Amino acid sequence: MLGEFDIIARYFTTPDSEPPMPGVALGVGDDCALLSPEAGHELALSVDTSVVDVHFPGDAPPEAIGHRALAVALSDLAAMGARPRGCLMALTLSHAEPDWLERFAHGFRELGRRTATPLIGGDVTRGSLSIGVTVIGDVPAGQALRRTGAAPGERLAVTGSLGGGHAGLRMWQAGGHDLADPLLAAYLTPTPQLAAGQALRGLASAGLDISDGLLADLGHLCRASGVGAVLSPDDLPLAPSLDMTLGREAALHAALNGGDDYQLLVSVPDAAWADAQQRCAACDVALTEIGRVAAEPGIRGIPETLQGVGWQHFTGGAS
């Protein structure tokens, strides 16, 4: 039977053959990890908890669960324009099943390798399946993208496409389990927009990631900046095949309210717009204008039939 320290040693300790990541003085194996912050940078930290059958289906592939747990946490670093330096994981398991752990660890480690985010510490305990991931990054001092700073007249824009996460969840719930489907992949194996977030530093005046739904997250940005917004629903970049899968109105509702997209929403001054688009294109990410920042509070331009509250814990979720 596998114990706590067996699990850590077998699945979550960095092999001796892998060189240490820059800035990581000590990783897994001691009471604390040690980082060496780079001069002239600020640390960015965020924690995200993924709970079985709340944030991911319990019967999802273990590789996807591991990938997703890290990806949604890294999306917060992307939103700030931060570069990942490492992560901590608190893993709670009902039982230790070797095959599940091997596959889960592979999905987690593989995304960590691709994003230069080594696992540098954590904890394993017994209980209902949940994964708490703390990500640590850095950003040049004074250059972090924040929710404050959007000004009237600026362009509102999003990276990538919207609605795929919501549609993928519905697809899984309906019995569609082919991870090659782009909508299902958008839900179970999202890509944190780290490169785009870093590229937009110095150009975007405000930003955040889209996790609770575009309208809900735009509301957060507007309140933090003391502004409003006017959106153009016809300009929303919908996920591939979303129209065909859900129909036009349901597709727009998913893009506006569904959540789980993990794209970036930013406010960009006109003078920086061309550079912002070019920098994102260099990262192979589209940046699409979807509206404008307004002086008056509130979000306008959305028909009442498309309005919802997005994802909220304790209130029944998205609508």
Side-chain angles (χ1 to χ4, degrees), residues 1-13 91 93 96 101 122-126:
M1 178 178 292
L2 289 173
E4 171 187 357
F5 301 110
D6 299 316
I7 292 171
I8 294 170
R10 183 178 301 186
Y11 302 107
F12 301 114
T13 299
L91 176 63
L93 295 164
L101 279 163
D123 186 43
V124 177
T125 190
R126 184 173 180 177

Side-chain angles (χ1 to χ4, degrees), residues 94-284:
S94 60
H95 61 283
E97 203 285 305
D99 180 66
W100 190 96
L101 279 163
E102 181 65 43
R103 294 170 61 190
F104 170 86
H106 176 77
F108 192 98
R109 285 197 311 261
E110 181 60 20
L111 181 60
R113 182 190 64 78
R114 292 190 348 237
T115 58
T117 311
L119 179 65
I120 59 174
D123 186 43
V124 177
T125 190
R126 184 173 180 177
S128 297
L129 177 60
S130 71
I131 309 114
V133 179
T134 298
V135 287
I136 303 129
D138 64 9
V139 61
Q143 292 189 31
L145 294 176
R146 301 176 61 179
R147 298 182 181 191
T148 56
E154 292 182 341
R155 302 176 193 238
L156 289 168
V158 295
T159 60
S161 60
L162 304 176
H166 177 80
L169 169 60
R170 296 291 177 258
M171 184 177 295
W172 184 273
Q173 292 171 333
H177 292 177
D178 181 7
L179 287 184
D181 187 288
L183 297 178
L184 200 53
Y187 170 61
L188 282 177
T189 55
T191 300
Q193 297 300 323
L194 291 161
Q198 294 171 55
L200 288 165
R201 290 194 313 236
L203 298 177
S205 59
L208 77 176
D209 73 327
I210 303 171
S211 56
D212 298 328
L214 174 62
L215 287 183
D217 289 314
L218 176 57
H220 300 326
L221 186 147
C222 287
R223 284 188 290 275
S225 293
V227 297
V230 179
L231 291 185
S232 175
D234 289 339
D235 292 333
L236 295 178
L238 300 181
S241 76
L242 194 65
D243 263 350
M244 184 180 302
T245 302
L246 299 181
R248 180 65 178 176
E249 179 133 341
L252 287 172
H253 197 281
L256 290 165
N257 303 292
D260 277 327
D261 282 318
Y262 302 103
Q263 297 293 337
L264 303 183
L265 167 65
V266 292
S267 175
V268 183
D270 283 344
W273 177 244
D275 285 345
Q277 282 194 305
Q278 290 173 4
R279 287 193 190 179
C280 285
C283 302
D284 292 324

